């Protein structure tokens, strides 16, 4: 079998588009973390990635690398995936762990206090909250009443006319809805405990979600800027890095 | 001193400044290099373009430059000078009290010299703290809970040894505990910057004030929850404030949340000099107004009175500074210098 290089690379890129930075909830590709990508004739894929600072949390780095390996590994023609982290305080350790298929705990031993699954879960919930907030705010702006919103089912949400801006927001939310919504609920919107929302307290609920967004935005703004500053990519970091992170805007 | 357009004087205490040395000959290893590079990243990313320094200056600016940037070109009346030892990264430390004492000698009426301790230093560290308190008459310390020490990648304020140090500090009259709870320079997992330990110690040490530097960002939500429950927890605006330039909407969000949860009596201005210089920060902060819709939605306002408190009066209260008397002292010592 011969592989079409261009097509294969594009397929790998699409797979990497599905890998997000857990805290920023944005694809590692958009964040420009992917530094190098090579596809071999034998179906091997080698990915080099980098992070905004030498100090970025090792568990996040490991998590992203693990997700990259998983997503790319699912492509039918891929035989082997090698993921390498560059210029990081734990680069050697992480690369060793990745190379040998070790868990995060096994890679770091006593230095690690929690396995990645808990961490993955924590940040999936935060992503759920942020995506839900963006969509709820959009629906509110369009004039949908709290009572309508909280009682809406998922199919109703899917069919709702919400304009060109709303489409991507809805898709992003639906992609993460199952993080908190159990299989038995048909409601479009539930809280992190899978309980229905209340029309009376929807505004306060949104404000509370807003603080989760504030945190992520802080990281997003800094990470983009620091990455550009560190690798001096665009000559110097510019407002472009910040403007891309306009609040509530779908990525 | 900052003067409003109507001529009103605003007394400024810069609550978070450094006089560091990251010159090449003081850097011990790659971590020390990467640490200052990361700081420089912050500097370039959030400063207005015309305020960006060359890297060499940023590595080691020295006492005279600091005096100039804070008190001559800048509006600061006083500054709290913090220590950050990082002796695992820098040969003679990054920012030690001895180094800072140079600045104190240069401007005795303007500098509030703070110390530091690390509970992992055990008994010997307790003695050192006592000696530091006696020599420098400190009223505050800066703690860096994520500092590396040998194999350790940080500590918690709730560790038994940390309690012994806090008890000691209280006894020595060191009542202001500045704790770095902020972004990046992160150890293996983020626990060392987790703000939850503040909750415990603030309850157990009612005689101490805990100033959470950088407001726990990016964990603002966690921090707000804790701060609202504890009367002795304050928020330091260093790192949050520079967003006022590059990301105004974001800053609006953060400051309105802080005003809502903590209130104007619990927030302290800090430039985090040399990462940023105070002049543009204070100018932009004074010119900043909360948009009407935010005022209404959150029920808060950033009035002139609130700005005065944040820029100086709150810190003056924590450090027992009589603002009027201090103004006279500073004026007197400045005119002496001119006369000499």
């Amino acid at each position: 079998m011969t592989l079409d290089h261009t097509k294969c690379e594009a397929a790998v890129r699409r797979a990497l588009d599905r890998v997000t930075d857990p805290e920023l909830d944005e694809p590692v590709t958009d964040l420009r973390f992917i530094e190098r990508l090579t596809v071999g004739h034998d179906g091997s894929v080698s990915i080099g990635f980098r992070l905004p600072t030498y100090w970025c949390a090792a568990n996040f780095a490991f998590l992203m690398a693990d997700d990259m390996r998983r997503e790319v590994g699912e492509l039918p023609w891929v035989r082997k995936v090698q993921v390498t982290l560059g210029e990081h305080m734990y680069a050697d350790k992480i690369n060793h762990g990745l190379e040998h298929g070790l868990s995060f705990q096994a890679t770091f031993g006593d230095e690690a206090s929690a396995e990645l699954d808990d961490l993955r879960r924590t940040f999936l919930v935060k992503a759920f909250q942020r995506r839900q907030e963006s969509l709820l705010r959009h629906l509110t702006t369009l004039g949908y009443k709290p009572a309508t919103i909280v009682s809406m089912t998922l199919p109703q949400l899917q069919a709702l006319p919400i304009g060109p801006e709303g489409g991507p927001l809805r898709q992003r939310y639906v992609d993460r809805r199952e993080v908190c919504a159990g299989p038995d609920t048909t409601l479009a919107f539930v809280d992190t405990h899978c309980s229905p929302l209340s029309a009376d307290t929807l505004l306060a609920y949104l404000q509370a979600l807003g603080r989760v967004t504030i945190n992520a935005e802080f990281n997003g703004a800094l990470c983009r800027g620091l990455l550009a500053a560190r690798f001096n990519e665009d000559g110097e970091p510019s407002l472009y890095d910040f403007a891309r992170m306009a609040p509530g805007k779908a990525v | 001193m900052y003067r409003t357009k109507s001529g009103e004087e605003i007394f400024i205490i810069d609550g978070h400044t450094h006089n560091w040395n990251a010159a090449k000959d003081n850097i011990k290893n790659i971590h020390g290099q990467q640490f200052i590079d990361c700081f420089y990243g912050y500097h370039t990313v959030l400063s207005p373009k015309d305020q960006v320094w060359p890297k060499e200056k940023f590595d080691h600016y020295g006492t005279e430059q600091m005096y100039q940037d804070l008190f001559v070109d800048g509006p600061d009346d006083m500054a709290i000078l913090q220590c950050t030892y990082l002796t695992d990264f820098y040969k003679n430390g990054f920012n030690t009290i001895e180094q800072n004492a140079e600045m104190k000698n240069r401007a005795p009426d303007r500098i509030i010299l703070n110390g530091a301790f690390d509970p992992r230093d055990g008994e010997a560290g307790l003695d050192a703290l006592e000696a530091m308190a006696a020599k420098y008459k400190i009223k505050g310390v800066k703690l860096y809970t994520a500092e590396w020490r040998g194999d350790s990648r940080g500590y918690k304020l709730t560790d038994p040894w940390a309690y012994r140090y806090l008890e000691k500090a209280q006894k020595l009259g060191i009542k202001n505990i500045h704790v770095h709870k902020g972004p990046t320079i992160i150890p293996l997992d983020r626990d060392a910057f987790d703000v939850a330990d503040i909750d415990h110690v603030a309850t157990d040490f009612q005689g101490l004030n805990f100033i959470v530097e950088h407001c726990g960002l990016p964990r603002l939500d966690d921090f707000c929850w804790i701060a609202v429950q504890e009367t002795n927890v304050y928020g330091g605006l260093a790192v949050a404030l520079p967003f006022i330039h590059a990301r105004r909407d974001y800053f609006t969000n953060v400051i309105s949340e802080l005003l809502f949860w903590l209130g104007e009596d619990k927030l302290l201005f800090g430039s985090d000099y040399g990462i940023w210089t105070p002049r543009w920060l204070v100018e932009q902060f004074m010119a900043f107004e909360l948009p009407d819709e935010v005022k209404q939605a959150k029920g808060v306002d950033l009035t002139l009175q609130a700005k005065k408190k944040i820029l100086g009066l709150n810190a003056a209260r924590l450090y027992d500074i009589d603002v009027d008397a201090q103004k006279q002292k500073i004026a007197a010592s400045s005119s002496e210098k001119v006369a000499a």
Side-chain angles (χ1 to χ4, degrees), chain B residues 134-150:
Chain B
K135 186 170 178 189
Y136 297 107
K137 314 272 182 295
I138 53 176
K139 283 190 178 172
V141 284
K142 161 87 184 287
L143 308 183
Y144 207 66
T145 56
E147 180 162 350
W148 293 11
R149 193 57 64 91

Side-chain angles (χ1 to χ4, degrees), chain B residues 70-302:
Chain B
L70 300 190
F71 306 123
V72 182
D73 298 340
D76 291 359
D77 292 286
M78 298 183 74
I80 303 173
L81 194 45
Q82 313 281 11
C83 301
T84 316
Y85 275 74
L86 299 178
T87 39
D88 276 22
F89 296 174
Y90 296 93
K91 291 175 195 161
N92 301 314
F94 184 62
N95 187 3
T96 62
I97 195 161
E98 292 78 13
Q99 220 167 293
N100 287 344
E102 248 184 60
M103 189 67 205
K104 174 77 178 165
N105 292 334
R106 174 71 180 82
D109 296 328
R110 289 179 179 274
I111 292 291
I112 298 166
L113 192 58
N114 273 359
F117 64 70
D118 189 319
R120 292 167 295 184
D121 293 340
E123 289 290 350
L126 286 170
D127 294 346
L129 179 63
E130 195 162 340
M132 190 185 271
K135 186 170 178 189
Y136 297 107
K137 314 272 182 295
I138 53 176
K139 283 190 178 172
V141 284
K142 161 87 184 287
L143 308 183
Y144 207 66
T145 56
E147 180 162 350
W148 293 11
R149 193 57 64 91
D151 287 335
S152 162
R153 292 290 181 260
Y155 64 91
K156 280 185 189 306
L157 294 175
T158 45
D159 293 345
W161 270 102
Y163 264 65
R164 291 194 53 187
Y165 275 74
L166 290 168
E167 279 159 13
K168 183 82 173 181
Q170 195 161 252
K171 237 179 256 167
L172 293 168
I174 303 171
K175 57 173 187 165
N176 297 314
I177 314 293
H178 296 249
V179 190
H180 177 111
K181 292 283 185 186
T184 199
I185 325 293
I186 293 162
L188 194 54
D189 30 44
R190 316 191 65 176
D191 289 348
F193 281 137
D194 199 331
V195 289
D197 54 349
I198 296 281
D199 202 6
H200 295 276
V201 290
T203 305
D204 290 346
F205 291 93
Q206 290 290 325
L208 298 177
N209 303 309
F210 292 88
I211 300 101
V212 177
E213 297 298 347
H214 322 308
C215 300
L217 283 168
R219 297 164 174 244
L220 186 71
D221 50 347
D222 297 346
F223 170 64
C224 285
W225 275 116
I226 288 163
V228 78
Q229 292 166 45
E230 307 291 343
T231 52
N232 52 341
V233 171
Y234 294 75
L237 289 180
V239 180
L241 185 54
F243 279 88
I244 200 170
H245 172 73
R247 291 292 309 278
R248 182 162 282 250
D249 289 349
Y250 175 72
F251 177 74
T252 305
N253 251 328
V254 170
I255 194 75
S256 58
E257 287 288 331
L258 289 170
L259 286 167
F260 178 78
W261 291 99
L262 278 82
E264 63 190 42
D265 294 317
K266 307 291 272 305
L267 298 172
L268 271 66
F269 160 66
S271 64
D272 221 340
Y273 183 86
I275 306 186
W276 298 286
T277 42
R279 184 173 166 173
W280 70 268
L281 288 169
V282 170
E283 282 173 357
Q284 293 205 20
F285 184 68
M286 284 303 297
F288 179 84
E289 302 280 346
L290 279 181
D292 285 340
E293 66 269 22
V294 174
K295 287 185 200 171
Q296 277 157 19
K298 296 196 179 156
V300 296
D301 198 1
L302 187 60

Side-chain angles (χ1 to χ4, degrees), chain A residues 10 16 19 23 25 27 34 54 67 77-78 83 90 131 155 168 171 178 183 207 215 220 248 251:
Chain A
L16 292 175
V19 177
E23 190 151 39
D25 188 27
I34 307 298
Y54 179 74
D67 288 349
W77 52 268
V78 170
V83 180
Y90 286 116
R131 293 178 181 204
Q171 190 53 48
E178 281 174 20
Q207 288 215 345
N215 292 350
V251 178

Side-chain angles (χ1 to χ4, degrees), chain A residues 23 53-60 87 89-90 104 108 111-114 123 126 207-208 210-222 224-226 229-230 236-239 242-243 245-247, chain B residues 30-32 34-35 38 40-42 44-46 49 89 148 151 153 183-191 217-222 224-225 239-240 243 245-247 249-250 253-254 257 260-261 297-298:
Chain A
E23 190 151 39
T53 80
Y54 179 74
W55 310 93
C56 290
N59 44 6
F60 286 5
E87 294 189 62
M89 64 171 169
Y90 286 116
F104 180 67
F108 282 96
E111 285 183 80
S113 61
F123 282 93
K126 284 182 193 279
Q207 288 215 345
R211 282 187 290 278
V212 179
T213 305
I214 284 182
N215 292 350
E217 238 194 279
F218 176 87
N219 285 325
L222 271 185
R224 284 178 196 289
L226 289 174
R230 186 172 187 202
E236 55 183 322
S238 68
L239 276 178
F242 299 108
M245 280 292 291
Chain B
I30 182 175
H31 307 308
Q34 294 280 353
F35 188 90
C38 182
Y40 191 62
Y42 274 67
T44 54
V45 165
L46 296 182
K49 280 209 169 64
F89 296 174
W148 293 11
D151 287 335
R153 292 290 181 260
T184 199
I185 325 293
I186 293 162
L188 194 54
D189 30 44
R190 316 191 65 176
D191 289 348
L217 283 168
R219 297 164 174 244
L220 186 71
D221 50 347
D222 297 346
C224 285
W225 275 116
V239 180
F243 279 88
H245 172 73
R247 291 292 309 278
D249 289 349
Y250 175 72
N253 251 328
V254 170
E257 287 288 331
F260 178 78
W261 291 99
K298 296 196 179 156

